[in-house]
Amino acid sequence: MKRYLLSLRLFWTTALSAQLEYRFNFLIELIAMLGTLLGSVFILSLFFSHGNKIGDWTWEAALVVQGVYTLLDGITNTFLKPNLSEIVNYVREGTLDFVLLKPIDSQFWLSTRTISPSGLPEICLGFSLIIWSSNRVSNGIHFDHIAIFIISLFCAIIILYSFWFLIASTTIWFVKTWNATEVLRAVLASGRYPVAAYPPSLRLFFTLVLPVAFLTTVPAQMILGNINLLKLFTSLLFSIIFFNLSRYFWKFALRFYTSASS
Amino acid sequence: MRKSKHIQVENLSKIYRVADKKPGLKGTFSHFFNRSTNNVEAVKGVNFSIEAGEIVGFLGANGAGKTTILKMLCGLIHPTNGYINVAGFSPQRRQNAFLKEITLVMGQKQQLIWDLPPMDSFQVNAAVYGILEMESKNIIFELAEMLDIGNELYRPVRKLSLGQRMKAELLASLIHSPSVLFLDEPTLGLDVNAQSRVRGFLTEYNKRTNATILLTSHYMADITTLCPRILCVHEGQIIYDGDLDSLSSRLNPNKKIIFEVRSDVSKESFSKYGKIQEINKGFISLLVSRNKVNFIVNQLLSDFEIVDLEIKDPPIDELIGDIFSNGKVL
């Protein structure tokens, strides 16, 4: 465990130093970050200008969903995207060989090797939005709501990560899976709005097939005090199932790894 | 000195499934919709064993199956059939204890972080292998001294020359003091000086640590200077396993004697000693059966006034080239 923590510290510090090596590029990245932030605020302002209800969600409550989505998007951009979109290059160029020969879990290496600060402003914005809007809906936030919210948010991150990693694992056979990852991101963008905003058939699809509902809607419901233990339990169960599935599937995929030719 | 560990390979084979595509747009469409695959037998029933501390060279043309064998020994590729034991482990299980015993260096791929100095990559590797900071520093500086690199450790990898980068790659792969080294063309693209420094380092490392080294290379000099024993791979099979000298004597039963005589002598007077290859003024080159070399040289020295004399083997590159075109050792 200590070895993994120490490795993680070095993974992230080297990733940041490698990015700081190109000062101009880092500056551009900072400007791009501000751009993304302004974009998110603009989308929010569209919400404000309408002010109508989505299903049985008031726009303030819907704003909590938007906050959770922004937070998840920030986490995706900081932790998931820089790592999981690289897996295809590891396979294509054959540098996965080096990873597989290290006495460390290869899934851990591929999922945490690098980090990008580009999602940090979104994470801050997401958090502020969740706190501000949920405060307006329920007049003060309860500690137990926050605790349950954190659990369901953690489950959401695990589900999102596991789903993405599952798709990335298929790289072993198909080598290029960029398209599949883009489709996944587009579907996850539907988590911007409460599941109630969609027609019943899509609602079912987003709950049972692609668990988008558990990514944004469920955590939002938890912090708003609509605590439904069945949903929380399902969320936990989904995260455990998907995470284990991703681990099992990765190990299975590796049996078919043929390594790039030299 | 380490305890005796070895590599044991029995009846090893690997079949790849490869998709073939016909050229042109039509071929592309039929490849997209109806992909036909072929089974290619890359390695066919290979057997060999290697003792601890040995340096063994894999020789073979491109696509002969050298890299596939090497990658199966590392545990990167699962064999279709057969038994492998490396340092007491089954490689394909890739247990941590096994991974700490081996290393793979690939001349055409790199693991160093491109934008940072090699030192940063070394620290990451040390942490991953669970080596304490002080211990890793000692190892790094000892290896750096052997490899003759110093300031380069603190310069971004992208600014290093190919030779310096290869040395740093070697260092990064040896930080955990492995007992088995798999080297896939470690001198690829290096200039003559850098090649010989890498070779010198490997010899020294083998002497100091008694590590077992398996090496593939297209440069004959790598094989002749480093490897007392070679394995020739041809179309997935091992067609020769033994030392280089006996390979060249089996391939070519003759040696070449080149000498210079003080006075002009007629061509006929040499024909009784061996097959005349060339006569140019006083310079004569004769092909003589290996087991008669001593006798013939003595005779020549007593019969003629010799200024200079040299005994040579035919160039090894040519001999090896013959093996790969014939597919067998005579």
Side-chain angles (χ1 to χ4, degrees):
Chain A
M1 191 64 192
K2 198 179 154 207
R3 186 164 65 95
Y4 276 78
L5 284 176
L6 188 63
S7 303
L8 191 64
R9 185 171 69 88
L10 280 161
F11 284 175
W12 288 356
T13 47
T14 50
L16 286 175
S17 351
Q19 286 171 49
L20 286 171
E21 188 65 20
Y22 298 101
R23 280 180 290 188
F24 186 67
N25 188 51
F26 192 74
L27 208 69
I28 300 272
E29 190 113 313
L30 274 178
I31 295 169
M33 258 192 258
L34 279 175
T36 322
L37 199 65
L38 285 174
S40 304
V41 172
F42 173 70
I43 292 170
L44 290 183
S45 71
L46 292 182
F47 261 83
F48 276 92
S49 64
H50 283 77
N52 44 12
K53 280 182 129 193
I54 300 174
D56 51 354
W57 291 69
T58 62
W59 67 265
E60 277 143 326
L63 221 53
V64 179
V65 177
Q66 176 73 29
V68 177
Y69 171 77
T70 311
L71 177 68
L72 273 184
D73 200 44
I75 289 172
T76 303
N77 286 332
T78 299
F79 301 99
L80 304 186
K81 192 178 155 221
N83 287 300
L84 302 184
S85 59
E86 268 304 298
I87 295 180
V88 66
N89 291 331
Y90 276 104
V91 175
R92 219 161 47 94
E93 288 158 21
T95 41
L96 184 60
D97 292 356
F98 289 123
V99 181
L100 296 178
L101 292 184
K102 297 271 186 301
I104 196 165
D105 190 276
S106 54
Q107 185 170 354
F108 172 77
W109 174 295
L110 293 172
S111 310
T112 61
R113 180 63 190 85
T114 184
I115 192 171
S116 155
S118 64
L120 292 177
E122 276 183 290
I123 294 177
C124 296
L125 178 73
F127 259 123
S128 326
L129 203 62
I130 293 164
I131 292 166
W132 182 79
S133 47
S134 58
N135 205 13
R136 285 196 57 162
V137 175
S138 50
N139 285 326
I141 309 169
H142 300 280
F143 178 75
D144 48 346
H145 293 175
I146 294 181
I148 293 178
F149 165 74
I150 289 173
I151 296 173
S152 61
L153 185 70
F154 182 72
C155 292
I157 296 169
I158 297 289
I159 293 173
L160 178 60
Y161 157 78
S162 309
F163 225 88
W164 199 336
F165 194 84
L166 265 170
I167 291 188
S169 303
T170 58
T171 311
I172 298 279
W173 292 280
F174 309 124
V175 183
K176 283 188 180 176
T177 49
W178 280 306
N179 289 340
T181 334
E182 278 312 308
V183 171
L184 179 72
R185 279 206 93 181
V187 172
L188 291 175
S190 57
R192 221 177 250 272
Y193 314 105
V195 184
Y198 297 98
S201 54
L202 265 182
R203 231 179 284 173
L204 208 66
F205 180 76
F206 282 153
T207 313
L208 297 175
V209 186
L210 278 177
V212 176
F214 293 97
L215 298 182
T216 52
T217 309
V218 172
Q221 283 171 332
M222 300 297 157
I223 200 157
L224 289 172
N226 302 331
I227 292 167
N228 179 331
L229 284 180
L230 181 69
K231 277 184 186 165
L232 185 69
F233 177 73
T234 318
S235 192
L236 264 170
L237 195 72
F238 263 24
S239 62
I240 292 169
I241 291 173
F242 276 116
F243 184 70
N244 281 307
L245 201 64
S246 79
R247 287 198 66 74
Y248 170 77
F249 191 68
W250 175 243
K251 283 190 181 134
F252 173 73
L254 280 183
R255 286 174 42 199
F256 296 87
Y257 178 60
T258 50
S259 180
S261 177
S262 54
Chain B
M1 282 293 214
R2 291 172 195 280
K3 66 180 195 294
S4 178
K5 283 174 183 162
H6 56 272
I7 298 172
Q8 180 88 35
V9 172
E10 282 167 23
N11 203 22
L12 182 69
S13 49
K14 176 71 192 176
I15 297 170
Y16 283 120
R17 182 173 284 183
V18 184
D20 293 327
K21 177 187 157 314
K22 290 200 174 72
L25 194 63
K26 203 181 152 198
T28 306
F29 271 111
S30 71
H31 184 67
F32 189 83
F33 290 108
N34 183 20
R35 201 158 281 201
S36 65
T37 52
N38 279 327
N39 285 339
V40 175
E41 209 175 349
V43 177
K44 305 167 189 167
V46 162
N47 295 291
F48 62 88
S49 65
I50 294 168
E51 293 300 317
E54 263 194 285
I55 306 185
V56 178
F58 270 103
L59 275 178
N62 289 331
K66 305 182 298 276
T67 305
T68 303
I69 296 178
L70 214 59
K71 287 189 173 169
M72 283 195 280
L73 291 176
C74 299
L76 283 171
I77 299 180
H78 286 230
T80 312
N81 252 319
Y83 166 83
I84 313 177
N85 187 311
V86 175
F89 297 93
S90 167
Q92 70 193 76
R93 292 177 64 199
R94 279 207 297 270
Q95 293 147 289
N96 283 353
F98 166 71
L99 297 175
K100 285 180 181 177
E101 284 296 327
I102 66 151
T103 200
L104 172 69
V105 178
M106 292 180 277
Q108 66 286 67
K109 286 173 202 162
Q110 61 159 23
Q111 61 167 324
L112 297 172
I113 307 167
W114 187 245
D115 293 316
L116 296 180
M119 207 59 178
D120 284 298
S121 302
F122 300 160
Q123 280 171 353
V124 171
N125 275 8
V128 166
Y129 281 101
I131 305 166
L132 296 175
E133 204 178 330
M134 271 311 289
E135 195 189 339
S136 72
K137 276 199 175 135
N138 287 339
I139 298 172
I140 291 168
F141 289 125
E142 191 192 338
L143 289 171
E145 199 193 320
M146 282 168 78
L147 280 160
D148 191 26
I149 44 173
N151 291 335
E152 293 89 342
L153 297 180
Y154 303 97
R155 213 169 289 155
V157 172
R158 64 171 193 278
K159 297 212 169 126
L160 300 181
S161 72
L162 191 59
Q164 291 165 335
R165 219 155 65 210
M166 194 59 228
K167 285 181 185 178
E169 282 286 338
L170 271 169
L171 209 163
S173 349
L174 296 174
I175 244 166
H176 57 292
S177 316
S179 67
V180 186
L181 276 60
F182 296 108
L183 310 173
D184 194 11
E185 313 215 12
T187 54
L188 194 73
L190 302 188
D191 66 41
V192 182
N193 286 334
Q195 279 182 29
S196 88
R197 250 170 278 151
V198 167
R199 272 177 227 135
F201 167 77
L202 290 173
T203 315
E204 178 68 20
Y205 188 83
N206 170 259
K207 248 187 229 160
R208 283 197 196 184
T209 62
N210 197 36
T212 310
I213 301 179
L214 256 88
L215 170 105
T216 75
S217 178
H218 280 121
Y219 298 114
M220 275 317 296
D222 284 351
I223 305 288
T224 46
T225 38
L226 283 172
C227 311
R229 175 180 167 198
I230 56 169
L231 295 173
C232 288
V233 188
H234 183 77
E235 291 179 353
Q237 285 173 316
I238 290 193
I239 52 172
Y240 177 79
D241 177 356
D243 63 81
L244 201 58
D245 290 339
S246 36
L247 175 67
S248 48
S249 58
R250 273 169 73 175
L251 284 172
N252 196 326
N254 297 325
K255 279 205 178 227
K256 195 190 269 189
I257 305 176
I258 304 165
F259 57 97
E260 188 187 351
V261 287
R262 198 174 292 279
S263 50
D264 253 2
V265 190
S266 71
K267 196 176 173 182
E268 289 70 38
S269 43
F270 292 110
S271 50
K272 62 174 179 178
Y273 299 101
K275 193 180 167 203
I276 300 166
Q277 271 208 314
E278 201 184 345
I279 291 195
N280 189 4
K281 291 183 183 161
F283 291 94
I284 298 111
S285 129
L286 286 178
L287 269 185
V288 176
S289 161
R290 269 171 197 274
N291 46 19
K292 285 190 187 160
V293 170
N294 283 346
F295 173 71
I296 301 281
V297 168
N298 279 333
Q299 273 206 325
L300 284 171
L301 287 170
S302 63
D303 294 354
F304 302 95
E305 200 179 338
I306 307 260
V307 184
D308 193 15
L309 186 141
E310 195 183 359
I311 304 166
K312 271 184 158 179
D313 266 319
I316 189 78
D317 299 45
E318 288 172 19
L319 299 179
I320 301 292
D322 285 348
I323 302 186
F324 297 145
S325 47
N326 297 334
K328 59 177 189 255
V329 179
L330 295 169

